[in-house]
Amino acid sequence: MPGRSAGSAGSGGKPAADVRRAGPLIVTEDLALLDDLLRLCAAAGAEPEVHHTVPDDRASWADAPLVLVGDDAAARCRGAARRQGVMLVGRDHDDPDVWRWAVEIGADCVLRLPDAESWLVDRIADAAEGAGRQALTVGVIGGRGGAGASTLACALALAAARTGRRTLLVDGDPLGGGLDVLLGGERAEGRRWPDFAASKGRVAGGALEESLPSVRGLRVLSWDRGDSVLVPPEAMRSVLAAARRRGGLVVVDLPRRVDEAVTEALAQLDLGLLVVPGELRAVAAASRVASLAGMVLRDLRVVVRGPYAPGLDDQWVADALRLPLAGELPDDPGLLSTLDAGDPPGSEVRGPLGRFCTEFWERALAPEGAS
């Protein structure tokens, strides 16, 4: 449904406000301040615990992912166990005692509303989601039309899911026919891109993940079968940032054109793979794509797909494009029959495509410095 914001996305069609994560402990008797903090927690997709003073249950203070102490309650929090993640929050910018109170309760910082609202929403969301290592994010782009970028993106996502890691496949090409179709999951329940087109600001990563269709062990963000919907760059930025915060692996299938939304996607990639068939015209077309993508993406590598025109090989193509060689994708005569049988690309683990993807992730996920 176009126009629905990502802030309303939840599992099973429920709004994201119903998908709550354990939120901060709030300590205040200031009702106006409490209203503001509850509003910020709702924006972050978190369910807070509220007390007027340090709770009798010590675990509530010690185990909360974040503690927000109103400046009215600072004196009542003296003597509480020292811990990280305590923030003193208020509105009076001119109160000279606030810094002394912050030291007395061991606060990490002093926040003044409304100036710090945006920053605080991010911290609440990070704490509620358990902010950790961001997802390794890999984008796949076709060097020319029909190069097989969508096929490779799906196969990479399936191979990633087989490693047991959290995996999200993002369809960034509204004219590509839908990666959910390629995976055989077009009827799977969940949100599609039109539901996120109005997204601005922060999207809760947990709510995003739970709202998406689950297909073959991974989550898929694709398109519905309705009219084409424009995804603004703000929505692309918000959604991909939320996906990355969840950790694991994210694979993004991107179109050959580079508009504002694609630029946002490229900026969030750790690695880009340019799929180029082994033929001269494909190399010529890919050079233009590489030039545009390379203006944003720092790490772009080429995947060369056979069969080859006479005199060409994978290294020749990589050298011609002046890009590092990510690998050779051999010709797979059985791929069409696999797709015709209703199986997604890369589902045959021992086939050329499956082997390529398995080896790619083994290299990409190897500890730094490992041979």
Side-chain angles (χ1 to χ4, degrees):
M1 293 174 58
R4 184 177 299 167
S5 71
S8 65
S11 62
K14 294 181 181 180
D18 294 335
V19 183
R20 292 286 188 238
R21 305 240 173 223
L25 170 66
I26 298 175
V27 183
T28 184
E29 284 185 322
D30 184 333
L31 295 181
L33 178 60
L34 178 59
D35 283 345
D36 284 340
L37 293 177
L38 291 176
R39 172 174 53 83
L40 299 181
C41 287
E47 188 70 50
E49 180 181 344
V50 180
H51 290 268
H52 298 314
T53 188
V54 177
D56 294 333
D57 180 5
R58 295 183 179 180
S60 294
W61 175 274
D63 296 341
L66 200 66
V67 177
L68 306 178
V69 177
D71 53 8
D72 67 292
R76 297 192 296 277
C77 293
R78 292 170 181 163
R82 294 295 175 118
R83 52 153 293 169
Q84 293 183 331
V86 176
M87 299 181 180
L88 186 61
V89 187
R91 290 194 196 82
D92 188 354
H93 291 260
D94 299 321
D95 190 338
D97 294 324
V98 67
W99 299 105
R100 175 173 56 82
W101 295 338
V103 171
E104 289 179 351
I105 67 173
D108 294 343
C109 60
V110 175
L111 303 178
R112 288 304 179 208
L113 303 183
D115 296 353
E117 284 192 356
S118 178
W119 186 89
L120 183 53
V121 168
D122 284 352
R123 300 292 79 71
I124 294 171
D126 284 345
E129 293 177 6
R133 185 174 183 178
Q134 287 197 330
L136 174 62
T137 306
V138 177
V140 186
I141 312 170
R144 67 152 168 81
S150 296
T151 297
L152 179 57
C154 283
L156 283 171
L158 286 173
R162 286 195 292 266
T163 70
R165 290 174 171 83
R166 173 185 282 116
T167 304
L168 173 61
L169 175 62
V170 178
D171 188 348
D173 187 358
L175 303 180
L179 296 187
D180 55 346
V181 177
L182 196 54
L183 287 169
E186 64 271 22
R187 295 185 180 180
E189 294 185 1
R191 304 288 184 175
R192 264 72 175 179
W193 263 120
D195 298 301
F196 297 92
S199 301
K200 293 181 180 179
R202 187 185 181 100
V203 174
L208 170 69
E209 181 180 20
E210 292 169 14
S211 74
L212 297 177
S214 178
V215 183
R216 299 179 183 272
L218 55 97
R219 297 284 180 167
V220 183
L221 176 54
S222 190
W223 305 86
D224 63 12
R225 310 284 82 83
D227 294 336
S228 179
V229 174
L230 177 66
V231 174
E234 296 85 358
M236 182 67 74
R237 181 190 312 124
S238 296
V239 169
L240 282 184
R244 297 192 72 198
R245 286 196 303 272
R246 293 294 289 166
L249 302 170
V250 176
V251 180
V252 187
D253 180 31
L254 292 169
R256 295 173 62 230
R257 69 181 186 281
V258 180
D259 56 20
E260 290 184 349
V262 174
T263 298
E264 287 291 347
L266 289 169
Q268 297 206 45
L269 298 181
D270 297 303
L271 168 65
L273 299 178
L274 183 65
V275 184
V276 183
E279 56 188 48
L280 287 175
R281 289 187 62 190
V283 173
S287 66
R288 293 190 289 271
V289 178
S291 177
L292 291 171
M295 295 175 66
V296 183
L297 179 58
R298 288 176 295 180
D299 191 352
L300 180 63
R301 308 177 193 181
V302 62
V303 175
V304 185
R305 181 170 65 81
Y308 297 99
L312 273 61
D313 61 18
D314 54 347
Q315 193 60 58
W316 187 96
V317 172
D319 292 343
L321 293 171
R322 298 180 181 179
L323 292 175
L325 179 64
E328 177 190 17
L329 189 55
D331 186 31
D332 188 353
L335 181 59
L336 286 179
S337 60
T338 297
L339 299 178
D340 289 341
D343 295 323
S347 57
E348 178 52 60
V349 180
R350 296 183 179 180
L353 182 57
R355 290 199 308 271
F356 174 90
C357 294
T358 298
E359 293 169 1
F360 171 83
W361 289 122
E362 287 175 351
R363 295 192 302 270
L365 299 173
E368 187 174 352
S371 57

